[in-house]
Amino acid sequence: METVHLIVGLGNPGAEYARTRHNAGFLLVEKLAARWKCEWSNERKFNARMAKAAPAGRKVLLCEPQTFMNLSGETVGALTEFYQIPLGQVMVAVDDADLPLGGIRLRPGGSSGGHHGLESIEQHLGTREFARLRIGIGRKDAARQITGHVLGRFEATETGLLEKVLDRASGQIDCWLEAGLQKAMSQFNGVIDPNNE
């Protein structure tokens, strides 16, 4: 069977959550779909929005679970099983309040950091060993209680930087597909200086 890469963007479905910080993963896979000129369809069997792409001749599935964030693993588990996708070819894009806006960090595995979407995927895959691309959304005044911030929309002053971040993260995924995880991490991880780009 032809090898498939799965790129999952995490977020919450529905208009009220569109373009909120918690939906940074959705924003990234939507950026990739536009870049790779592929169409979205609703896949009821997986409870997901899916798009099939072939960047540089590679078979790639883009996915937005429609389960709500905390149940994302149901979709990811079903897809990896159905398509027999090796864990090394799974990438999950997720928002991260511990990274500043402008920051991206790709890792081969590790802790969920309290992110319920990642926790759900770890539970359904039975491992933490899958790549996760964290997209920084920052915190308001270093507050620990961040629900309102996370579920809030990006401010007008942040949209320019957000677009640069999504462009950079898209480039990182291209690099991952072509040259592997280590190169993608060393070339792209970091924080964009909004004054210097």
Side-chain angles (χ1 to χ4, degrees), residues 41-50 52:
S41 63
N42 288 312
E43 300 287 338
R44 209 170 277 130
K45 175 166 66 168
F46 301 114
N47 201 358
R49 278 181 87 221
M50 308 274 308
K52 293 179 178 174

Side-chain angles (χ1 to χ4, degrees), residues 21 97-101 137-150 152-158:
R21 292 179 177 86
D98 291 323
L99 277 177
L101 180 64
I137 60 168
R139 288 179 186 273
K140 276 271 184 273
D141 310 318
R144 294 309 303 172
Q145 189 52 40
I146 59 166
T147 306
H149 174 68
V150 163
R153 286 189 165 75
F154 289 98
E155 291 165 24
T157 53
E158 298 174 320

Side-chain angles (χ1 to χ4, degrees), residues 14-123:
E16 68 270 36
Y17 296 107
R19 295 195 71 79
T20 57
R21 292 179 177 86
H22 212 25
N23 277 27
F26 274 17
L27 295 177
L28 178 57
V29 291
E30 285 162 13
K31 182 82 159 183
L32 289 168
R35 185 177 175 133
W36 295 336
K37 297 180 174 54
C38 49
E39 298 290 320
W40 290 98
S41 63
N42 288 312
E43 300 287 338
R44 209 170 277 130
K45 175 166 66 168
F46 301 114
N47 201 358
R49 278 181 87 221
M50 308 274 308
K52 293 179 178 174
R58 287 175 177 79
K59 199 170 178 185
V60 176
L61 293 173
L62 297 173
C63 170
E64 290 183 344
Q66 300 294 293
T67 54
F68 287 93
M69 183 69 83
N70 299 0
L71 300 174
S72 301
E74 292 176 6
T75 293
V76 178
L79 280 168
T80 51
E81 191 175 325
F82 183 82
Y83 287 102
Q84 298 288 288
I85 302 170
L87 288 177
Q89 289 165 209
V90 175
M91 166 85 67
V92 178
V94 59
D95 62 292
D96 189 336
D98 291 323
L99 277 177
L101 180 64
I104 57 172
R105 183 188 297 146
L106 177 59
R107 288 280 181 270
S111 151
S112 67
H115 194 289
H116 298 313
L118 286 176
E119 285 171 1
S120 174
I121 293 170
E122 289 170 5
Q123 187 184 348

